[in-house]
Amino acid sequence: MRMITTVAEMRQWSDHERRRGTRIGFVPTMGALHAGHLSLITRAKTNADVVVASIFVNPTQFGPREDFASYPRTLERDVDLLAQEGVAVVFAPPTGEMYPSGCITAVRVEGLSARLEGAIRPSHFAGVTLVVAKLFHIVQPHVAVFGRKDAQQAIILQRMVRDLDFGVELDVAPTVREADGLAMSSRNVYLSIAERKQAVVLARALQTGFRTWNEGERKSAVLRALMMNVLAEEPAARLDYLEIVSQRTLEPVAMVRSGTLVAGAIRVGKTRLIDNWWVREDGTGEF
Ligand code: PAF
């Protein structure tokens, strides 16, 4: 496995591979890898000849009072895991390489970036779209894999790729969960033992909604009320939002049908957790 830290060397590698006709799969990460990330690598391998993974804790997607400084950084362990997974290249640039001074260009997906997570983290998605646009230009992948846990991120990136003609195929992989249902996240390490038990309430609430939807209930108001009842069982969990929206517009919908996203965010102690379930265009659901 090759470790690359400069933009020039990464582009050179990708140019060379593309000229040889190699199909490049890409999994962008901020490191602190867990089984969810590794599932993205496995998925990328099935759809590409070689896989590049990036590790970059992107400062522009953190708000001023957020956890950029304390975000878990486990580079050595991550690199070992990626080598075991058969990744061809790890791209791990220093901050100054990705953001040399004087970088004043923005990439914004209007509207979608202001809803749900964006209403609470106003600059977050501008940071995500900026860094992913840069990574796409540098790595030049044919296909990039993202996790469904960050459903709004995936929706916004799909829109960016379409609107700016990136020519990169986006693949969105199912959420990987702990045995009790908690969605895997690099931020789960922040949870104390007591908070870890409290945190699972979000998955439990969403699962209750999903089960009831599978049993035939379609009204958003009924499903939301059921999920809110479950959330109320855990007073330590503070709700940021629980919304039932269209995946196209992220605006609320009255009925849960094809193309609906049910997304929630809570805070437990100092940790923010997000999770969701959704209904595909063919009418099947996924939690
Ligand atoms: O999902 C993440 O880990 C990040 O938002 C991403 C896509 C790597 C951009 O920094």
Side-chain angles (χ1 to χ4, degrees), residues 64-186:
R65 279 178 301 282
E66 293 182 7
D67 56 343
F68 174 68
S70 58
Y71 195 84
R73 286 162 172 87
T74 55
L75 185 63
E76 237 173 81
R77 182 181 158 275
D78 292 347
V79 169
D80 285 348
L81 284 171
L82 294 171
Q84 282 163 33
E85 292 299 315
V87 163
V89 173
V90 176
F91 178 51
T95 307
E97 184 70 14
M98 286 299 282
Y99 295 114
S101 62
C103 172
I104 54 169
T105 301
V107 181
R108 292 191 67 89
V109 176
E110 301 294 347
L112 296 179
S113 299
R115 301 270 307 129
L116 309 175
E117 282 299 287
I120 288 154
R121 308 180 68 192
S123 57
H124 173 64
F125 288 114
V128 171
T129 46
L130 176 61
V131 81
V132 173
K134 284 170 73 75
L135 288 167
F136 281 179
H137 287 308
I138 297 163
V139 176
Q140 306 170 66
H142 295 84
V143 57
V145 188
F146 294 86
R148 172 69 59 188
K149 185 187 67 83
D150 297 298
Q152 187 178 6
Q153 168 172 279
I155 288 167
I156 288 171
L157 291 173
Q158 269 158 342
R159 192 57 194 247
M160 177 189 85
V161 161
R162 193 189 94 176
D163 289 355
L164 298 183
D165 301 300
F166 266 91
V168 178
E169 193 185 305
L170 289 203
D171 184 17
V172 185
T175 300
V176 177
R177 298 178 180 281
E178 303 284 358
D180 63 358
L182 181 76
M184 289 205 182
S185 162
S186 302

Side-chain angles (χ1 to χ4, degrees), residues 233-246:
E233 288 165 11
E234 183 47 81
R238 284 142 20 242
L239 183 70
D240 269 353
Y241 62 82
L242 177 66
E243 290 208 43
I244 301 180
V245 298
S246 148

